[in-house]
């Protein structure tokens, strides 16, 4: 009996299914056919948020902000008009097929009334380290700086969904969805606190220039400022034609990263390189010349054919190599250059890679100019004269360098022949960027010791009745850490000379290297040295606040 009831139930169920199928396929066929014909499937992209860019101390410099979009292709415009939440102008834009950006409040209300609201993103910037961070275009594609170099990591993977849409534009259902994958966050090596000090110091001077502070043990860039700056938000939001033309005409241009994209005469800062050349060529550093303030260059007949002056009119008196660095004696280096010869000078410069790109992970790095007799014949059509060597020996003439190339020089001295590739990115997502040696040169350690000691005198030798103080002593005399440095004053064809300072600290166990360049900033012992002191002060202040500073790192009274 029980089995018969089960069979009867199954039979009745089968009959009902047959009847329903007959109803749908035969009796209601035309009605369902018309409905299906009205439905359309659409693939809708789901945008992925771009990764954030953060400083090493956790400050967010670039991020995506959520915005809410009313898309005319996903909604019935007539139904939207009835809500009374749209202006007449917004309705016209929807009719023209344009999307409307909504605030969250209106988006929530419209969504509750059945409107389909999609999520979009807008890039937002904090105006710190713009030449490092860079910017994106309106499509959120990296165009400059880290935004460009690391675009593939910052860019997420779009998701998709398939929707059924009636002819009226009403979405009836979603049939498939693949969620978007956000881009990876980028953590910079930049410390926002040091960066702010660097930027403020440059702004107070009010002249174009650049500052860089790096870790000599890793190549991490702790601060990189180029002045004047720009606002990355302006580039994302876009310019009118008139605004863009005005920006291109602006002088000095804020678009140039002067740390890596501008070349200058290095002035006396390059004397560190020629000192290396002298020591590696066997020149006795204790041999003295008598500086009277003027060097007379004589021809083979003994006739004076040119006079070259020192920055100090009365001269420096008896001067050996260490003193020549300390007081930046031009007369000594004029004669040193002639003794070395241009071939030896260029040979040593190439050995250490000083006038070559460093490979920093930012776009637009230029290469300096290391002139040679071959170069001059090719480019200018003239032979190389002794006067060219004389000017080259004090960082003038045809010699040109980028500030970051000088960072390589001073880092090599600080790190005894090892230069780590400079980089501004510390982490990609959770993956740490490993330090990479870019240049490594093995030479007698006594050479590095000589250079360090001479550079320490630049900032710490107070002078006496017979001897002049170091060129940066008046700036660093009260500084609690030993700084090994070299000032530079590069003459220009118009206006004040460019001001340079290069150095590292603490001198006895170097942690950081610094390069400062101020266009038309006057003597290197002025603006550039003062900026270097302020940036180094902030670095050590942060270090002290993070941990107890060993008393051994203090300089003696």
């Amino acid at each position: 009996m029980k089995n018969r009831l089960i069979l009867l139930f199954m039979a009745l169920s089968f009959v009902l299914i047959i009847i329903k199928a007959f109803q749908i396929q035969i009796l209601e066929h035309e009605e369902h056919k018309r409905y299906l014909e009205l439905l359309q499937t659409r693939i809708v992209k789901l945008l992925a948020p771009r990764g954030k860019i953060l400083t090493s101390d956790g400050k967010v410099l670039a991020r995506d902000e959520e915005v809410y979009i009313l898309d005319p292709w996903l909604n019935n415009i007539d139904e939207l008009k009835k809500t009374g939440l749209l202006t007449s102008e917004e309705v016209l834009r929807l009719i023209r097929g344009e999307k409307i950006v909504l605030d969250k409040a209106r988006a929530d209300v419209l969504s509750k009334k059945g409107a389909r609201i999609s999520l979009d993103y807008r890039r937002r910037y904090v105006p710190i380290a713009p030449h490092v961070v860079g910017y994106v275009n309106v499509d959120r594609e990296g165009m400059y700086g880290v935004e460009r170099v690391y675009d593939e990591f910052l860019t997420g993977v779009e998701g998709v969904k398939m929707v059924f849409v009636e002819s009226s534009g009403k979405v009836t259902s979603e049939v498939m969805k693949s969620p978007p994958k956000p881009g990876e966050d980028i953590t910079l090596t930049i410390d926002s606190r040091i960066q702010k000090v660097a930027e403020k110091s440059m702004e107070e001077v009010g002249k174009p220039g650049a500052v860089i502070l790096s870790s000599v043990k890793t190549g991490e860039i702790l601060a990189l400022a180029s002045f004047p700056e720009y606002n990355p938000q302006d580039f994302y939001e876009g310019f009118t034609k008139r605004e863009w033309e005005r920006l291109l005409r602006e002088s000095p241009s804020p678009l140039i990263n002067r740390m890596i994209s501008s070349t200058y005469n290095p002035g006396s800062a390059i004397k560190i390189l020629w000192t290396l050349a002298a020591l590696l060529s066997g020149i006795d550093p204790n041999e003295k010349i008598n500086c009277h303030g003027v060097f007379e260059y004589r021809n083979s007949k003994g006739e004076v054919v040119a006079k070259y002056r020192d920055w100090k009119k009365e001269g420096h008196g008896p001067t050996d190599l260490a003193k020549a660095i300390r007081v930046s004696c031009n007369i000594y280096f004029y004669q040193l250059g002639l003794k070395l010869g241009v071939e030896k000078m260029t040979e040593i410069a190439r050995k250490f890679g000083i006038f070559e790109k460093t490979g920093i992970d930012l776009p637009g790095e230029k290469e300096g100019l290391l002139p040679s007799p071959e170069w001059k014949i090719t480019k200018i059509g003239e032979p190389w004269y002794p006067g060219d060597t004389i000017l080259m020996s004090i960082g003038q003439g045809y010699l040109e360098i980028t500030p970051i190339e000088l960072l390589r020089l001073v880092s090599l001295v600080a790190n005894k022949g090892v230069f780590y590739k400079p980089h501004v990115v510390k982490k990609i997502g959770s993956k740490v960027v490993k330090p990479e040696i870019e240049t490594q040169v093995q030479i007698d350690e006594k050479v590095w010791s000589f250079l360090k000691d001479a550079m320490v005198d630049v900032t710490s030798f107070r002078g006496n009745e017979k001897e002049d103080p170091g060129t940066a002593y008046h700036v660093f005399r009260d500084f609690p850490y030993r700084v090994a440095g070299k000032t530079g004053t590069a003459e220009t064809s118009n206006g004040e000379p460019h001001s340079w300072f290069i150095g590292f600290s603490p001198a006895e166990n170097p942690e950081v290297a610094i390069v400062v360049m101020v266009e038309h900033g006057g003597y290197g012992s002025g603006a550039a040295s003062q900026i270097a002191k302020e940036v180094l002060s902030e670095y050590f202040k942060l270090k002290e606040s993070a941990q107890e500073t060993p008393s051994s790192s203090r300089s003696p009274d």
Side-chain angles (χ1 to χ4, degrees):
M1 185 66 180
K2 185 178 179 180
N3 291 337
R4 288 182 180 180
L5 287 173
I6 292 173
L7 289 171
L8 179 61
F9 178 76
M10 291 176 65
L12 288 172
S13 299
F14 182 72
V15 170
L16 288 173
I17 291 172
I18 295 298
I19 292 171
K20 189 65 177 175
F22 179 78
Q23 179 186 359
I24 293 172
Q25 295 185 31
I26 304 300
L27 301 180
E28 299 176 357
H29 172 73
E30 290 300 321
E31 181 181 347
H32 284 287
K33 181 181 178 182
R34 284 194 301 274
Y35 177 72
L36 289 171
E37 286 174 348
L38 290 174
L39 287 177
Q40 299 177 21
T41 58
R42 285 190 186 155
I43 301 297
V44 179
K45 290 183 179 180
L46 302 175
L47 297 178
R50 190 173 176 85
K52 296 191 290 289
I53 299 177
L54 310 92
T55 60
S56 61
D57 56 313
K59 188 171 185 63
V60 178
L61 301 186
R63 62 180 175 84
D64 269 9
E65 178 182 84
E66 292 183 350
V67 293
Y68 303 91
I69 303 296
L70 192 59
D71 191 333
W73 299 105
L74 299 179
N75 291 278
N76 186 315
I77 298 176
D78 291 331
E79 294 294 325
L80 292 173
K81 287 170 64 177
K82 293 176 184 177
T83 65
L85 294 170
L86 300 176
T87 65
S88 57
E89 182 183 345
E90 287 174 330
V91 172
L92 285 173
R93 288 177 60 193
L94 288 171
I95 292 171
R96 291 197 298 264
E98 298 177 21
K99 296 177 181 180
I100 302 296
V101 178
L102 302 171
D103 57 57
K104 192 175 188 304
R106 278 205 301 169
D108 288 343
V109 174
L110 282 167
S111 182
K112 289 175 182 177
K113 291 180 177 291
R116 291 274 176 163
I117 308 296
S118 58
L119 189 64
D120 201 350
Y121 299 95
R122 295 289 183 269
R123 200 66 167 163
R124 295 290 177 238
Y125 292 99
V126 173
I128 296 175
H131 290 94
V132 174
V133 174
Y135 54 86
V136 297
N137 61 15
V138 292
D139 297 319
R140 294 167 51 250
E141 299 169 328
M143 300 299 291
Y144 186 64
V146 167
E147 290 276 34
R148 174 180 165 184
V149 176
Y150 292 89
D151 186 60
E152 62 177 304
F153 301 104
L154 288 160
T155 302
V157 180
E158 290 183 339
V160 293
K161 66 180 178 181
M162 182 183 290
V163 297
F164 278 129
V165 186
E166 293 181 350
S167 60
S168 64
K170 182 180 179 182
V171 175
T172 59
S173 62
E174 296 178 1
V175 294
M176 184 183 72
K177 185 174 181 179
S178 173
K181 180 183 177 182
E184 294 190 89
D185 291 343
I186 296 288
T187 302
L188 301 177
T189 58
I190 299 292
D191 186 299
S192 68
R193 298 160 294 184
I194 304 174
Q195 180 71 24
K196 286 178 182 177
V197 171
E199 292 177 357
K200 183 181 178 183
S201 299
M202 290 298 304
E203 186 178 358
E204 287 176 349
V205 171
K207 295 183 177 181
V211 184
I212 192 167
L213 181 75
S214 72
S215 166
V216 298
K217 301 298 184 184
T218 64
E220 290 187 355
I221 304 302
L222 308 181
L224 191 162
S226 178
F227 184 81
E229 298 176 332
Y230 66 90
N231 188 343
Q233 200 65 48
D234 294 339
F235 284 83
Y236 173 64
E237 303 291 348
F239 297 92
T240 64
K241 183 179 179 182
R242 180 175 294 179
E243 288 172 338
W244 179 245
E245 289 175 348
R246 185 170 63 246
L247 182 65
L248 292 178
R249 290 194 303 268
E250 192 172 328
S251 180
S253 174
L255 304 181
I256 300 171
N257 184 345
R258 286 168 169 76
M259 179 53 61
I260 66 173
S261 301
S262 294
T263 59
Y264 308 90
N265 287 142
S268 293
I270 205 65
K271 290 174 181 176
I272 299 301
L273 178 60
W274 307 143
T275 300
L276 263 174
L279 295 173
L280 293 176
S281 301
I283 290 176
D284 183 2
N286 298 313
E287 184 181 339
K288 294 181 179 180
I289 62 104
N290 199 3
C291 172
H292 296 292
V294 178
F295 170 64
E296 296 178 339
Y297 178 72
R298 299 174 182 272
N299 61 18
S300 57
K301 298 178 182 179
E303 300 168 334
V304 176
V305 293
K307 291 184 179 182
Y308 298 89
R309 301 188 181 278
D310 193 87
W311 65 268
K312 187 178 181 183
K313 187 176 180 180
E314 62 273 25
H316 302 281
T319 303
D320 60 12
L321 183 53
K323 180 181 175 180
I325 295 172
R326 184 181 82 235
V327 300
S328 202
C329 176
N330 288 341
I331 303 300
Y332 183 98
F333 279 91
Y334 293 149
Q335 297 177 60
L336 176 63
L338 291 171
K339 189 179 291 186
L340 287 169
V342 63
E343 290 80 9
K344 176 58 70 173
M345 294 167 79
T346 55
E347 175 194 327
I348 296 299
R350 291 191 182 105
K351 179 176 181 177
F352 290 91
I354 303 304
F355 292 85
E356 299 171 7
K357 293 180 181 179
T358 65
I360 189 172
D361 51 345
L362 287 174
E365 183 179 12
K366 286 188 177 180
E367 194 168 76
L369 172 60
L370 177 64
S372 66
E374 297 77 20
W375 170 86
K376 192 179 179 188
I377 281 289
T378 302
K379 295 294 183 180
I380 301 178
E382 294 180 359
W384 187 269
Y385 298 112
D388 295 324
T389 304
I390 290 171
L391 291 177
M392 185 170 162
S393 69
I394 61 164
Q396 297 285 166
Y398 301 114
L399 199 70
E400 291 186 0
I401 201 165
T402 62
I404 200 169
E405 287 171 342
L406 275 178
L407 181 72
R408 185 204 303 264
L409 174 60
V410 73
S411 297
L412 282 167
V413 178
N415 228 17
K416 297 181 179 179
V418 177
F419 173 60
Y420 285 89
K421 187 176 182 179
H423 58 281
V424 297
V425 168
K426 192 181 191 76
K427 286 195 300 184
I428 302 172
S430 59
K431 184 180 178 182
V432 177
V433 176
K434 295 180 179 179
E436 178 185 342
I437 293 178
E438 200 276 341
T439 305
Q440 188 167 15
V441 183
Q442 297 283 346
I443 61 173
D444 190 337
E445 194 165 319
K446 292 180 181 178
V447 173
W448 303 124
S449 296
F450 178 91
L451 275 167
K452 182 197 75 175
D453 292 343
M455 292 173 71
V456 166
D457 280 351
V458 170
T459 64
S460 64
F461 186 77
R462 67 183 64 190
N464 52 49
E465 292 180 358
K466 295 182 179 180
E467 297 290 347
D468 293 329
T471 54
Y473 169 73
H474 66 289
V475 175
F476 287 95
R477 60 186 170 187
D478 298 322
F479 199 69
Y481 291 83
R482 283 190 180 274
V483 176
K486 182 70 190 78
T487 58
T489 305
E491 298 296 332
T492 61
S493 58
N494 60 316
E496 290 289 308
H498 297 331
S499 178
W500 287 94
F501 182 86
I502 65 175
F504 56 88
S505 187
E508 53 278 5
N509 185 23
E511 297 173 14
V512 291
I514 190 166
V515 173
V516 181
M517 195 286 306
V518 181
E519 292 182 19
H520 306 293
Y523 289 112
S525 57
S529 295
Q530 188 60 45
I531 291 171
K533 179 184 176 183
E534 290 169 7
V535 173
L536 288 170
S537 293
E538 182 66 14
Y539 169 79
F540 286 115
K541 184 183 80 173
L542 293 173
K543 179 185 175 183
E544 289 173 357
S545 66
Q547 61 184 28
E548 285 285 325
T549 304
S551 59
S552 61
S553 66
R554 298 278 182 171
S555 63
D557 293 334

